[in-house]
Amino acid sequence: RPIAIVPLVLVLLLGRQFGATLMYWLALLLGDRFTHWCEKHFPSERNVLDRLKQRLSGVAPLAVVVGRLTPGLLAPTSLACGVIGLRYRHFVLGVFLAAVILDGFFLSFGFVSARGLQYLGLAEHPWLVLVGLALAVFLVWATRRWVLRPRPRC
């Protein structure tokens, strides 16, 4: 029995928005305590959060998208946006775009792995999934090696 995709996507989007917004508002409310603690313990870094907010002001939604798509930074991105007082509309737009990208990828991957192989004329075999995963791991490794390769010093 097929799953209705529209309600599923709406639930995913609403869940991500609700969770991220809750963390954002908590960080916004408690952010002053954190900034005062940082100023007290790190006096030389007094204006770091203000500088960060100014640097992100032009690309705020994109920064939220990149932060939320980076493994391990999903929750810290929401907290950091609340602490620095990023505009809520920029934050919500970034969360929405990241959710569309991430959920779209996972739903597409699920479709391709479940039914997409049949449309391509391939039989569903576990070894095909393993070969696909091995290929994906190799591509990530090769891309990472290429991007992080040592640069010649001038």
Side-chain angles (χ1 to χ4, degrees), residues 30-131:
L30 300 175
D32 287 339
R33 287 184 183 179
F34 177 72
T35 54
H36 291 309
W37 181 86
C38 286
E39 288 173 357
K40 187 168 101 175
H41 289 84
F42 305 104
S44 62
E45 304 295 326
R46 189 169 298 249
N47 298 322
V48 170
L49 294 176
D50 291 331
R51 287 194 306 255
L52 179 62
K53 185 177 179 181
Q54 288 174 345
R55 290 181 81 186
L56 292 179
S57 64
V59 292
L62 179 62
V64 173
V65 169
V66 170
R68 289 187 63 86
L69 292 179
T70 303
L73 295 181
L74 187 76
T77 300
S78 300
L79 294 173
C81 290
V83 168
I84 66 172
L86 194 69
R87 285 189 176 179
Y88 182 68
R89 63 184 170 147
H90 291 163
F91 174 73
V92 168
L93 178 61
V95 170
F96 175 77
L97 293 175
V100 167
I101 292 169
L102 201 57
D103 293 338
F105 171 76
F106 283 126
L107 289 173
S108 299
F109 182 75
F111 171 77
V112 167
S113 65
R115 292 198 172 81
L117 295 175
Q118 292 173 353
Y119 289 128
L120 295 174
L122 301 172
E124 292 182 34
H125 295 291
W127 67 270
L128 282 176
V129 174
L130 291 177
V131 168

